[in-house]
């Protein structure tokens, strides 16, 4: 008989087009590019662009530690302490720059922080979902690699007949 098909890959596929990732998770620049507006049009000065580069670094750090973005090796991590530290730094920057930002800059920063805080609250639930999916994928992999010891469903019980 032919060998069994290979197991499905053990990674998380990108979101289904019907349920895309939230716009903020794509990064600040990508949000506006999709709307036909570029960050250079919004952030007029080079100083603003550098400031939002810093904001983007902290945003990505928080997102990575909230399991929203994979690391360089494609792995998903949850480190709520690191995520909280990045969000707290963004909060501090918002407080310390109050009155010194353009309205649009202030709105972008405020919205970004709100989104991150909302995802921080949901992170433990998301972590459980991802861990359950990883376990399910591991069991499925075992079905193909070790069928004699893997879990299986009995469709017809020969002893009943």
């Amino acid at each position: 008989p032919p060998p069994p098909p290979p197991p499905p890959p053990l990674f998380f596929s990108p979101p289904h087009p019907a349920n895309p990732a939230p716009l903020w998770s794509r990064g600040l620049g990508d949000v506006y590019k999709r709307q036909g507006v570029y960050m250079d049009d919004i952030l007029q000065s080079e100083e603003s662009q550098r400031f939002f580069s810093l904001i983007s670094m902290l945003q990505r750090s928080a997102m990575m530690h909230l399991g929203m973005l994979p690391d360089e090796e494609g792995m998903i991590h949850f480190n709520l302490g690191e995520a909280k530290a990045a969000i707290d730094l963004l909060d501090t920057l918002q407080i310390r720059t109050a009155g010194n930002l353009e309205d649009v800059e202030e709105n972008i920063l405020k919205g970004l922080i709100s989104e991150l805080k909302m995802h921080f609250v949901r992170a433990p639930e998301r972590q459980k979902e991802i861990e359950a999916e990883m376990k399910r994928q591991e069991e499925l992999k075992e079905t193909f690699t070790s069928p004699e010891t893997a879990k299986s469903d009995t469709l017809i019980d020969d002893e009943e007949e």
Side-chain angles (χ1 to χ4, degrees):
L10 295 175
F11 62 87
F12 295 98
S13 59
H16 188 273
N19 187 18
L23 286 177
W24 69 268
S25 70
R26 298 183 198 138
L28 285 171
D30 293 340
V31 171
Y32 296 100
K33 282 180 199 171
R34 290 194 177 264
Q35 297 172 359
V37 178
Y38 292 89
M39 288 303 283
D40 292 346
D41 297 336
I42 294 171
L43 306 174
Q44 296 292 321
S45 72
E46 187 176 325
E47 186 179 78
S48 290
Q49 292 171 10
R50 283 195 308 261
F51 177 72
F52 274 92
S53 289
L54 171 65
I55 298 301
S56 184
M57 283 189 280
L58 291 169
Q59 173 197 25
R60 288 189 179 279
S61 175
M63 289 169 56
M64 187 176 72
H65 293 296
L66 290 172
M68 303 301 295
L69 291 176
D71 66 10
E72 313 80 48
E73 298 171 0
M75 302 298 293
I76 302 249
H77 299 281
F78 286 87
N79 184 334
L80 297 183
E82 288 293 324
K84 183 178 184 320
I87 295 168
D88 288 347
L89 282 171
L90 287 167
D91 261 338
T92 301
L93 285 171
Q94 182 183 22
I95 292 166
R96 298 296 293 174
T97 58
N100 293 322
L101 298 177
E102 300 291 327
D103 288 342
V104 68
E105 295 169 336
E106 207 166 305
N107 288 335
I108 291 171
L109 184 57
K110 183 179 178 181
L112 185 142
I113 293 169
S114 294
E115 288 273 345
L116 287 174
K117 286 179 176 180
M118 183 175 60
H119 285 283
F120 180 83
V121 170
R122 294 181 182 159
E125 179 182 325
R126 179 172 160 74
Q127 182 175 9
K128 286 178 188 173
E129 290 171 1
I130 288 176
E131 287 171 353
E133 176 63 16
M134 289 176 71
K135 182 180 178 192
R136 187 192 70 77
Q137 287 184 10
E138 193 60 40
E139 289 171 357
L140 185 59
K141 177 183 174 187
E142 183 154 338
T143 301
F144 289 100
T145 58
S146 305
E148 62 281 346
T149 60
K151 289 183 179 180
S152 62
D153 294 331
T154 304
L155 299 177
I156 299 175
D157 190 355
D158 291 337
E159 294 176 7
E160 288 181 4
E161 294 179 3

